[in-house]
Amino acid sequence: MSIFSDNIRALRTRHNISQEKLATSLLITRGRYVKYEDGTSEAPYEILKNIAHYYQISIDLLLSVDIRKIEVSDLLKLENNRPI
């Protein structure tokens, strides 16, 4: 797995959101979303942007910081978190 796949799984779990609900919000199928979360497929830029917007977190943090080690309330306080 990648940091990205670990991060989107952790965020979804922390927010108590089903894969189906999140996929619907992102306008993709659940099957497609599962591939990103399992790390078997890489999300294109548009999906990265939509996920970042959904969680109010920067794409940079989604791809480079292990969010599992940070409290949700502290995510917005991170220096490099500039949500789109």
Side-chain angles (χ1 to χ4, degrees):
M1 283 208 193
S2 66
I3 287 178
F4 172 69
S5 60
D6 290 340
N7 282 343
I8 61 173
R9 175 174 282 135
L11 286 167
R12 183 182 57 75
T13 303
R14 285 183 186 179
H15 286 86
N16 199 27
I17 302 167
S18 70
Q19 290 176 332
E20 184 69 38
K21 181 179 177 185
L22 184 56
T24 299
S25 296
L26 297 172
L27 303 175
I28 59 174
T29 65
R30 179 183 172 275
R32 186 171 173 193
Y33 175 78
V34 167
K35 289 180 182 182
Y36 304 143
E37 199 171 281
D38 289 344
T40 56
S41 182
E42 292 185 20
Y45 173 72
E46 276 302 312
I47 300 297
L48 286 174
K49 186 173 77 170
N50 292 343
I51 292 171
H53 186 262
Y54 186 88
Y55 290 117
Q56 297 296 306
I57 188 169
S58 71
I59 293 172
D60 182 47
L61 291 180
L62 272 177
L63 298 176
S64 63
V65 174
D66 189 349
I67 292 172
R68 296 173 297 171
K69 298 177 182 177
I70 303 169
E71 292 294 321
V72 174
S73 60
D74 294 334
L75 285 175
L76 293 176
K77 298 175 189 174
L78 291 176
E79 179 180 335
N80 292 327
N81 188 28
R82 295 181 185 92
I84 52 174

